[in-house]
Structure formats: C-alpha cells, structure tokens
Amino acid sequence: MEQAPPDLERQWQPAPLEPLGHTDAGLQAAVGEEAEGSRDEVPGDGTEHALGLGVLMTENNFGLKKIEISVSEAEKRTGRNAMNMQETYTAYLIETRSVEHTDGQSVLTDSLWRRYSEFELLRNYLLVYYPHIVVPPLPEKRAEFVWHKLSADNMDPDFVERRRIGLENFLLRVASHPILCRDKIFYLFLTQEGNWKETVNETGFQLKADSRLKALNATFRVKNPDKRFTELKHYSDELQSVISHLLRVRARVADRLYGVYKVHGNYGRVFSEWSAIEKEMGDGLQSAGHHMDVYASSIDDILEDEEHYADQLKEYLFYAEALRAVCRKHELMQYDLEMAAQDLASKKQQCEELATGTVRTFSLKGMTTKLFGQETPEQREARIKVLEEQINEGEQQLKSKNLEGREFVKNAWADIERFKEQKNHDLKEALISYAVMQISMCKKGIQVWTNAKECFSKM
Amino acid sequence: MSGGPPKGLPSTGPHSLLDMPHPLAGSSSEEAVGGDSTPSPDLLMARSFGDKDLILPNGGTPAGTSSPASSSSLLNRLQLDDDIDGETRDLFVTVDDPKKHVCTMETYITYRITTKSTRVEFDLPEYSVRRRYQDFDWLRNKLEESQPTHLIPPLPEKFVVKGVVDRFSEEFVETRRKALDKFLKRITDHPVLSFNEHFNVFLTAKDLNAYKRQGMALLSRVGESVKHVTGGYKLRSRPLEFAAIGDYLDTFALKLGTIDRIAQRIIKEEIEYLVELREYGPVYSTWSALEGELAEPLEGVSACIGNCSTALEELTDDMTEDFLPVLREYILYSDSMKSVLKKRDQVQAEYEAKLEAVALRKEDRPKVPADVEKCQDRMECFNADLKADMERWQSNKRQDFRQLLMGMADKNIQYYEKCLMAWESIIPLLQEKPEANGSPLVFIPWWSL
C-alpha cells in the first residue's frame, strides 16, 4: 500500500519549503491588520479561521490570496436520487469573497450550492490524498446528544441552521490549513458547481483508499509502531469517550434546567389570579408574577447559546476520529514495511541456501527436489538469478518504503503538533465562552429575582 | 362572651356593631387596615386551578411530597408587632430546646416553653416548662372550645403522612419547633386569646396532665352555649361582609394550594437538576487527566460546577424547610377559619329563627323576650369578634407573605450570587497563557514563494 505521491495536477505548486508546523504567523500577518476584534496571537491556532478568513490559491498560480468563505443560506430542495425516487434534501449556498490586500474590501468571486453528501465526498477525498494530515471533521450527519426540546429531525430548522454553521466552519478549517488550502479539488469545490463530482471521482481516489480490513489487520499485527502514535491513539480513544460522556450529561443537565425555569412560569399565572382577590397585596403580587414569566422564558435563549458550546465540543469529538485515522495510516505503513523487510530477509536466506547448498528453510522447490531428484546446476543458477533480481528490487522497495515511512512520520507529527496547539487554543476559548454564558445566566437570574423581591416588598 | 374577662383592655362585650370601634382597628400605622377591609364579592374569582391547569414543561403531573418546616421571619415579626399594636408588649413566649425522651411505652420529643410577662395573670415574672405536641393539640382544642368566636391559629400537622420522613430527624424537629413557636406567638399577640386561662396554665403549670384531667370533668360554660347550637337552623341571608370573607377564604386556599404544588414541583426539578450536575462536574476532571495545557482549566471548570451544585443544594434545603411549611400553615388556617364562619352562621340562624318564632306568636310585639335578646347579643358579639380577628388576620397575613416571598426571592438571589462568584473566579484561570515550551518551527511566508 503506497502513499499517493504529491500530484502536480492536484496541487498548484510543489512546495519544498512548506511550513509543516504552524499555520500561524504568516497567515496571521496576512489577515492580521484587517481583522476585527483582534485576539491575542496564539501560534498555530485557527484564529484566522475564527475570523472567517482563509487563503486560497490565486488563479494565476502566483501565491495565495486571502478569501472569505461563508455558508450563507440553506434551502430545502426536492430531486431524484440515484434510484430515481423522489427525495428531499437541504442545499447550502457557499459564497467565496476575495479580500483585497490593501483596503480590506471583499468582492464576491464565487457562489454555488452544495449538499451535505458533496461535503462528505470532498472530505473522503482529502482523507485519501492527505493521510498524514488531521483532516477537519464535518458536522454530524444526524442529530445526536439531543435533549428533549431539540428535534432529532434532519429537516428541523434549528438543526439545519447549526449544520450550516458547522459546514462553514469545516470549509474555513480547510482553507486555513497550510497544506489543504492548496488542494485543487478543494478549490474546485468552491468554484465549480457543475461537474465537480465527476472531477473528484476521476481522480480515482476511492481506489486508492485503504481497505478497512487491511487497516484493521495492520493494527493488530504491527510489531514496531512509533510509540508516539500508539500513545496518540490511546489519547484519541479516551478523548472520544470523555467528550461523548460530557455531551450526554450536558444534554440531561439542559433538560433539567429547562424544567426548573419553565415551572416558575406557573407562578406568574397564580400570582395574577391571587392578586385579584387581594386589596393591598394585589399590585405587588401581580408585578412579581410578571417577573416570574420573564424568568421562565429566559431559559430558551440561554440554552440556545449553550448549544453553540456543545457544537464546539462535538467538533473535537469528531476530530478524535481524524487523529485515529492518521495513527491507523502509520500502522499500515509500518506493517507494510515490516512485511516487506520480512519478505526480503526470507528471500535472502533462500538465495544463500541455494548458493551454499544447505537447506535451512522450507521451500517447495526444495521439497520437490528431494522427491523428484536434484535439479541441474543450470536450473539452480537460474533460480539464484531470479532471486537476486527480486532481492535487488526488494531492497530498492524497502529503501523507498523506509523513506516514505519516515517522511510520513515527520509530516504527520508536524501536523499533529499544529493540531494540538489549535485544539488547546480552541477548547480554552470554548471554556471561556461557556463560563461567560454561565456568568450572564447568573446575572440575569439575580436581576429577575431582585425585581421580584422589590415587588414583594411592596405587597 | 369570651372566656375570661380581658383585663386592661376594652371589652368586646355587647355593643352595637356600628358604633364600637375595635381596639385594634385603625391602630396600625403602616398598613391601611381601616374600615371594611374585606373585598367586594365581584372581585372574587371562583375559578379553580386544579392540577391539570398546572403548566409543566414535560407534561407530567406534579408529585406530592410532604413538606415540613416553617417561617424564618419570627424575629422580624416580633419587632414589627410592636409597631402595629402601638402598645408595649407585656408577654413574651418562646419555644426552643427540643429533647428526645425515651420511655418504655413510647419515644417522643418535648420542647421548652419560656414565658416572660409583667401581666398580673402571671404569678411569676418568668416561667419555663416542657411540653410535647399533644399538649399543644390539647391547648388548641381548649381554645376552640372556650373561644369559639375567635380564629385560633393552626398547628403543624399531627401525623406525618409519608413514611419517608423521620419524626426524629433534626430537620423535622426544627421545622416543627418553628411552627409551634409561631403558634404560641400568634396566640400571645391576640388581645383576647392571650388572656385565656387554658393558655395561662399551658405556659405555667408544672403538671399539665393533672389540669387536663380536671378539665375533662367540667364543661366550659361559655362554650356550651355556642356548642349546643345545632345545625337545624337555616340561615336566611348571610351579611355581605361574611359572605365575602367566605368566598375570599375559598379562593385564597385554592391559590395557596396551587402555589404549594408549584413550589414542590420546582424543588423536585431542582433536585433532579442537581443530580445531573453532580455527574456533570466530575467528567471535566476525568478529561483534565488526559490533557496537558488544558488540565488546569478543565479542573477549574469541574470545581466550579461542584460549587454551583452545593449552592443549589442549599437552595432546595432552604425552600423545603422554610417556604413550604408556611404555605401549608396558612391553608390550615383558612380551613379552621371557615369552620368558625360556619359557627357564626349557626348563631345568626338561631337568632333569626327565634325572632321569627316570636313574630308568629300573637304576643306583645314591642317587648322582645329575654332569650331572643340573648341570642341577638351572642350574634353581635360573634360578629364583632370575628370581624376584628379577620382584620388582624389579614394584616398579619400580608406581613407573613411579604416576608415569605421576599425570603424566597432572597434565597434565589443568594444562589445565583454564589454561582456567579464561582464562574467569575475561574475566568482568569482560563485565560492564563501557557508557559512557552519549545520554539515554534521556522516559518516561511508562502506569498514569497
């Protein structure tokens, strides 16, 4: 199983000095001054991505231009599927704007509609051609970790809205990745509406994909994988498990919190009714009841904001799978290497035995020789020659496999470092914004109850 | 007609309803309790607000849970009463120091009752006795018997309905103590009831049981006259103000019942929320153990959620112990008030019947027989007592609920303030920059390629 070599057709430029580490400073500088709401520079993060900016190859091949990508609309469509049956799906409008370097103005350059399956196709393609990259994940296909208010229906407007944001996020991640942003298929995804699917399929990437079975086999049988990848694999398993757990419990917490707030709405009604039979107490009760209604309805916005936090966690949940994919690729390559080395060693031994006449290893030829008589020296010579050729070839292959393997490890690990920085930065930001949400919720609560208390004091 | 002549205070004896000002009417400086404080009938709503009207988020029915506890505003009430009555208090009663007694036949709790008074009815300036719940129950029955024209405050429930609650748990005992304290203080505040002889004995006697046994043999003379009014008389027309009171109490009890259910439901939801929070926080800790740079922030979030959980638990405990019981007390109060109203109706009915009987007899019209006059007196006294007590009750109720609801708001504010503090304190932790560990790779800008 060989790694597809960088294809000049797919990438605009060979980039021998590719910055394999952080996306950071250069991109940062490129978008820096024009960025609104400047954030602290953290190297190797997706800051530019968070600002909605990325880079793309210019048409004239002379370097990268700054772009803005947005998935601005979602539309329900009906069409016919592969089996000529009517189906309903959602299409998303992708708009690409080129940002002028000097004045920061943006100009709409491309605008087309894509559906989720096309995004999936793009990603699968990227997975095959960039196995050493932690490829950004797509938003979930079906709504999971729902709490009772959220619909699990794919057509539900809230789900579609959140998916729209998730898809935009995906594109921005790709566009701000130093290597992925250069990919031609990605470029075409943003610019060529018709015929794109055919173009992707023509690359034949599906054929190049490693079979799942092969990968599984390699995982079990590999003897000497790079320790770092083994550790990384464990980490991604644990990360996936803990984030899943977190999302599940958070959904339950949201459910309960919703219940607490909503029941308070009943106070509004009963205070109002009670106030009708009271003289002095009436006004205070009535206005307090109003505040209880405000309190009860405040939870909807609060929980909607929290969904955004859940989505940020989900992205990293899915990123764990992308990490694992890179580890799997390494194991596959390593296993392949080990098998090749093993094969070469056995051939060498065979050759040696033939040359010296000692039989230490079992071979069919040896057996038949024993059974049917000795072979002629000419026959033996011929066999040795064949073997020597094979050994030569094998040594070449082993050398190149070794080289490939080391290249892979180096490149992959560089991207993993970049990813780690990005992850730490993003998750910190997510936690901060979660804390800010909680603070806002507490302040609202204090406000409402203080108002209610004042009303009660006037009873 | 009240049991025992109240000394030192104007008598609520036989005067015309119209020209006798109640000693306490118009004496309040803060509340405008003057004139007719009962609402007109057209303001009353007879709508019921049953369980099915309760709007619940998950479409479920509210579960009933027993609610012990009582108000925590007694200290305030004590001081405010001074202002309301406009007179110096000369009787102070406190319930405290619950103790468990284990005997062969039973186990029970007694409470210490401390009395301080300058009143002449008390031989000593200070008393300290021990009483158990059944003594309070006895007292209340005696008061109802001997002061049938007055509203007697309620006792906390005798039996613990749900077997889950432990009769000897600290929370239950404390809750009950507060309620018993409130009960005695309400009597103490009452210008007529506080002079009742049974009340006096309750506060002072070393051996209450002996007095109880003695009391069984005698029937209170006063109570007799009212008790022996049978239900045989039909009421012609209830005076507007008493009809209004009745309607008011009906709706009031209904609304309180609904509030009680809502409050219970909220506590239930909060407890379930708490259960989830207690699982939620630790997951961040588990995650923290996997990470390097994120370890501290995640651990911080975990601790923060833990603090919020504790704050929530305090809130639910407070609401259970302090809020719910007061609601239930007032529901009981209105129930007992309704039965007093019924008795009043009976007295009026008897009077009217007798009057009618006289009218039918062809005797000397102008001279009204003595026993009819007595009936009229009885009715008028009853009306006056009840009216005065209602006003006093309304005023106290307003105060009690103001404090109760403000207390509820306060507890919620405190809960949110605790959570706010927790979250605000971890923001700096989350924003901390990590120490530089290793130099980033050398970068070559692409556009220069």
Side-chain angles (χ1 to χ4, degrees):
Chain A
M1 187 53 236
E2 55 180 11
Q3 181 187 8
D7 186 349
L8 281 173
E9 276 195 292
R10 286 180 298 105
Q11 289 192 345
W12 292 88
Q13 279 180 6
L17 296 173
E18 229 163 75
L20 294 170
H22 313 260
T23 58
D24 50 337
L27 199 54
Q28 189 79 10
V31 304
E33 301 88 58
E34 284 89 5
E36 313 148 11
S38 64
R39 297 150 84 101
D40 286 344
E41 273 194 40
V42 179
D45 58 47
T47 309
E48 60 287 339
H49 135 263
L51 293 166
L53 297 171
V55 287
L56 204 62
M57 295 306 290
T58 54
E59 285 148 19
N60 57 12
N61 239 2
F62 283 155
L64 302 165
K65 61 175 179 175
K66 277 182 294 166
I67 57 161
E68 281 172 12
I69 306 178
S70 62
V71 178
S72 45
E73 277 172 50
E75 207 175 75
K76 229 191 231 178
R77 301 241 177 112
T78 46
R80 297 211 166 265
N81 67 4
M83 297 189 287
N84 209 32
M85 299 203 309
Q86 219 185 23
E87 58 165 358
T88 319
Y89 63 91
T90 313
Y92 300 89
L93 178 65
I94 305 173
E95 292 179 317
T96 311
R97 287 178 169 76
S98 157
V99 181
E100 293 311 308
H101 193 69
T102 41
D103 58 1
Q105 296 276 31
S106 68
V107 161
L108 184 68
T109 51
D110 293 280
S111 160
L112 41 67
W113 292 86
R114 294 271 185 227
R115 53 185 295 192
Y116 187 85
S117 57
E118 290 174 282
F119 281 85
E120 279 184 308
L121 191 60
L122 172 65
R123 185 165 192 271
N124 289 337
Y125 160 84
L126 291 174
L127 282 171
V128 170
Y129 275 108
Y130 300 90
H132 61 294
I133 301 290
V134 184
V135 178
L138 283 171
E140 53 193 357
K141 194 162 184 139
R142 264 163 282 279
E144 269 178 76
F145 306 109
V146 289
W147 56 284
H148 95 282
K149 201 199 159 208
L150 292 182
S151 171
D153 172 26
N154 279 10
M155 287 295 160
D156 177 69
D158 283 333
F159 178 76
V160 168
E161 173 60 17
R162 288 187 12 255
R163 182 184 257 192
R164 182 192 66 74
I165 295 170
L167 291 173
E168 185 177 281
N169 188 53
F170 166 74
L171 291 176
L172 289 170
R173 290 257 190 230
V174 175
S176 57
H177 189 285
I179 295 167
L180 297 178
C181 69
R182 298 157 185 266
D183 188 273
K184 181 171 177 182
I185 295 288
F186 173 61
Y187 176 80
L188 293 174
F189 182 86
L190 296 174
T191 55
Q192 180 189 307
E193 185 155 20
N195 228 28
W196 177 81
K197 272 211 271 209
E198 287 72 13
T199 312
V200 186
N201 290 326
E202 271 162 26
T203 63
F205 79 92
Q206 277 112 339
L207 299 170
K208 297 202 172 82
D210 298 320
S211 84
R212 232 4 210 233
L213 196 60
K214 240 189 172 169
L216 204 62
N217 184 47
T219 302
F220 282 126
R221 298 222 182 155
V222 67
K223 294 200 182 70
N224 229 8
D226 185 317
K227 285 263 179 305
R228 293 178 297 176
F229 284 94
T230 315
E231 277 166 21
L232 185 66
K233 203 164 65 138
H234 286 153
Y235 169 76
S236 33
D237 284 341
E238 312 239 289
L239 186 71
Q240 193 168 51
S241 160
V242 85
I243 297 185
S244 295
H245 189 194
L246 194 65
L247 286 168
R248 267 198 308 277
V249 184
R250 192 213 70 91
R252 294 205 302 263
V253 166
D255 225 349
R256 291 301 175 196
L257 189 61
Y258 183 79
V260 170
Y261 271 72
K262 285 301 178 190
V263 184
H264 278 84
N266 289 297
Y267 274 145
R269 269 180 72 181
V270 75
F271 283 170
S272 176
E273 290 167 4
W274 182 10
S275 73
I277 62 168
E278 296 290 343
K279 275 208 163 163
E280 297 98 358
M281 281 168 61
D283 288 338
L285 271 178
Q286 178 86 354
S287 40
H290 162 72
H291 291 297
M292 290 293 98
D293 286 332
V294 168
Y295 182 68
S297 59
S298 69
I299 191 67
D300 296 302
D301 286 342
I302 290 169
L303 287 178
E304 200 177 293
D305 287 344
E306 265 197 31
E307 277 313 309
H308 178 63
Y309 171 68
D311 283 339
Q312 289 174 296
L313 293 181
K314 272 184 213 173
E315 191 192 15
Y316 279 91
L317 174 68
F318 303 142
Y319 253 126
E321 177 56 45
L323 275 179
R324 259 217 301 279
V326 176
C327 297
R328 269 203 301 271
K329 183 67 183 181
H330 165 74
E331 286 169 345
L332 205 57
M333 290 180 74
Q334 181 66 15
Y335 177 69
D336 203 43
L337 185 69
E338 289 171 4
M339 287 293 102
Q342 202 180 328
D343 189 54
L344 183 65
S346 111
K347 281 204 165 65
K348 280 191 175 161
Q349 189 154 48
Q350 267 184 53
C351 200
E352 193 202 308
E353 283 169 9
L354 276 180
T356 59
T358 55
V359 181
R360 254 171 296 152
T361 58
F362 173 82
S363 75
L364 193 58
K365 215 44 181 160
M367 271 329 302
T368 52
T369 309
K370 280 217 158 92
L371 290 171
F372 300 116
Q374 282 275 353
E375 57 184 353
T376 65
E378 293 85 15
Q379 283 174 319
R380 200 151 51 114
E381 275 306 315
R383 280 215 292 134
I384 289 174
K385 210 160 193 142
V386 167
L387 272 175
E388 276 177 350
E389 261 173 51
Q390 286 180 337
I391 286 169
N392 229 352
E393 229 179 271
E395 270 176 349
Q396 297 286 23
Q397 272 199 0
L398 192 64
K399 221 189 209 163
S400 77
K401 276 195 189 337
N402 230 326
L403 201 67
E404 270 174 32
R406 279 209 288 272
E407 269 300 299
F408 178 88
V409 167
K410 182 179 83 162
N411 294 343
W413 207 254
D415 195 58
I416 285 164
E417 290 296 331
R418 179 205 62 82
F419 169 77
K420 276 189 193 163
E421 298 267 347
Q422 174 197 297
K423 176 205 79 173
N424 286 340
H425 174 268
D426 288 350
L427 288 176
K428 250 200 203 174
E429 290 293 314
L431 289 176
I432 290 173
S433 75
Y434 184 64
V436 166
M437 275 182 237
Q438 299 303 309
I439 287 170
S440 156
M441 180 171 90
C442 290
K443 285 190 174 159
K444 277 189 207 160
I446 291 172
Q447 186 63 56
V448 164
W449 282 105
T450 306
N451 291 343
K453 183 178 173 185
E454 180 148 341
C455 295
F456 290 139
S457 74
K458 297 203 177 100
M459 268 168 48
Chain B
M1 306 306 175
S2 322
K7 293 176 188 136
L9 283 172
S11 166
T12 55
H15 291 282
S16 164
L17 255 178
L18 297 167
D19 60 18
M20 184 205 77
H22 190 273
L24 298 168
S27 62
S28 128
S29 46
E30 292 169 2
E31 286 85 63
V33 179
D36 188 16
S37 65
T38 53
S40 55
D42 54 312
L43 282 183
L44 302 178
M45 290 168 65
R47 249 191 78 210
S48 77
F49 195 84
D51 271 9
K52 56 190 175 302
D53 289 3
L54 203 64
I55 297 162
L56 300 169
N58 300 317
T61 49
T65 51
S66 80
S67 36
S70 71
S71 159
S72 57
S73 61
L74 298 175
L75 198 63
N76 288 352
R77 188 154 139 52
L78 203 64
Q79 284 153 355
L80 276 164
D81 270 350
D82 273 345
D83 299 339
I84 286 167
D85 297 352
E87 48 193 90
T88 26
R89 315 199 70 232
D90 56 0
L91 177 63
F92 298 90
V93 180
T94 327
V95 179
D96 64 4
D97 191 33
K99 274 196 165 47
K100 195 184 210 175
H101 298 256
V102 183
C103 307
T104 39
M105 294 299 288
E106 54 175 346
T107 305
Y108 58 91
I109 308 270
T110 63
Y111 305 83
R112 178 178 65 188
I113 320 291
T114 312
T115 309
K116 293 192 173 100
S117 179
T118 54
R119 291 187 184 178
V120 291
E121 290 79 12
F122 294 91
D123 296 332
L124 301 172
E126 196 168 321
Y127 290 88
S128 180
V129 296
R130 289 219 145 248
R131 301 285 181 244
R132 55 187 290 191
Y133 184 91
Q134 59 182 220
D135 297 333
F136 284 83
D137 198 35
W138 168 89
L139 172 64
R140 191 173 190 280
N141 288 334
K142 281 294 181 228
L143 287 173
E144 272 192 329
E145 273 175 28
S146 56
Q147 318 271 188
T149 63
H150 287 283
L151 302 175
I152 317 293
L155 273 180
E157 280 151 342
K158 188 178 233 164
F159 301 110
V160 175
V161 183
K162 307 281 166 143
V164 191
V165 182
D166 174 17
R167 275 191 307 138
F168 302 108
S169 77
E170 249 183 66
E171 292 84 24
F172 179 78
V173 170
E174 172 59 14
T175 295
R176 197 175 241 202
R177 183 202 66 75
K178 283 192 201 147
L180 295 175
D181 184 85
K182 184 107 200 216
F183 170 73
L184 290 185
K185 284 192 159 72
R186 279 175 170 148
I187 298 173
T188 308
D189 289 345
H190 196 286
V192 175
L193 293 180
S194 62
F195 287 93
N196 183 281
E197 60 180 304
H198 302 298
F199 183 52
N200 189 304
V201 172
F202 177 89
L203 293 177
T204 60
K206 282 277 171 244
D207 184 1
L208 188 62
N209 288 327
Y211 180 80
K212 283 189 201 179
R213 283 190 289 270
Q214 188 188 60
M216 299 277 257
L218 308 165
L219 276 171
S220 153
R221 280 163 296 144
V222 178
E224 192 180 328
S225 59
V226 177
K227 256 168 44 177
H228 281 214
V229 171
T230 62
Y233 303 102
K234 193 96 193 314
L235 186 68
R236 286 294 163 82
S237 64
R238 197 179 284 115
L240 219 56
E241 57 187 337
F242 293 110
I245 291 174
D247 289 340
Y248 170 82
L249 288 177
D250 280 336
T251 312
F252 178 71
L254 265 177
K255 295 309 145 195
L256 282 198
T258 305
I259 293 174
D260 180 57
R261 276 197 300 283
I262 296 170
Q264 281 184 45
R265 179 59 188 235
I266 289 175
I267 290 172
K268 175 172 175 281
E269 294 283 340
E270 281 173 347
I271 288 172
E272 288 176 352
Y273 173 50
L274 182 63
V275 165
E276 301 299 348
L277 277 184
R278 292 231 183 265
E279 187 180 332
Y280 184 51
V283 181
Y284 282 97
S285 273
T286 309
W287 187 357
S288 160
L290 298 176
E291 297 285 342
E293 192 180 313
L294 290 176
E296 263 187 52
L298 287 169
E299 193 56 57
V301 170
S302 176
C304 197
I305 294 173
N307 289 339
C308 293
S309 306
T310 307
L312 183 61
E313 193 167 33
E314 284 163 13
L315 175 65
T316 54
D317 283 345
D318 281 349
M319 289 299 286
T320 307
E321 284 162 22
D322 295 341
F323 184 80
L324 292 178
V326 176
L327 283 182
R328 302 192 128 234
E329 241 172 56
Y330 263 92
I331 296 173
L332 292 172
Y333 218 152
S334 24
D335 285 344
S336 75
M337 282 158 73
K338 292 223 64 186
S339 53
V340 176
L341 279 175
K342 279 205 185 79
K343 276 192 241 158
R344 191 219 67 86
D345 286 349
Q346 288 314 306
V347 171
Q348 179 179 330
E350 189 191 351
Y351 165 66
E352 284 173 352
K354 290 209 168 130
L355 198 62
E356 200 179 292
V358 166
L360 292 174
R361 291 201 303 260
K362 264 83 174 204
E363 281 179 16
D364 339 338
R365 286 300 184 86
K367 185 167 161 278
V368 181
D371 70 325
V372 179
E373 224 177 68
K374 242 198 200 161
C375 249
Q376 185 183 22
D377 281 347
R378 208 158 46 223
M379 180 190 78
E380 285 172 356
C381 280
F382 206 145
N383 288 350
D385 286 347
L386 199 52
K387 191 156 172 265
D389 275 8
M390 263 313 291
E391 277 172 21
R392 158 174 277 279
W393 180 85
Q394 282 284 12
S395 150
N396 287 341
K397 171 211 79 183
R398 186 177 169 196
Q399 208 180 332
D400 284 344
F401 275 97
R402 184 193 303 135
Q403 268 163 5
L404 181 72
L405 291 169
M406 282 175 75
M408 169 173 93
D410 252 335
K411 290 182 179 75
N412 277 281
I413 291 169
Q414 281 162 31
Y415 159 70
Y416 278 113
E417 280 178 345
K418 287 177 203 163
C419 291
L420 180 65
M421 199 166 70
W423 285 105
E424 280 184 333
S425 69
I426 66 154
I427 293 272
L429 174 70
L430 294 175
Q431 285 175 329
E432 233 167 52
K433 291 263 169 261
E435 290 155 17
N437 43 7
S439 50
L441 294 180
V442 172
F443 176 79
I444 297 160
W446 303 310
W447 62 80
S448 70
L449 292 173

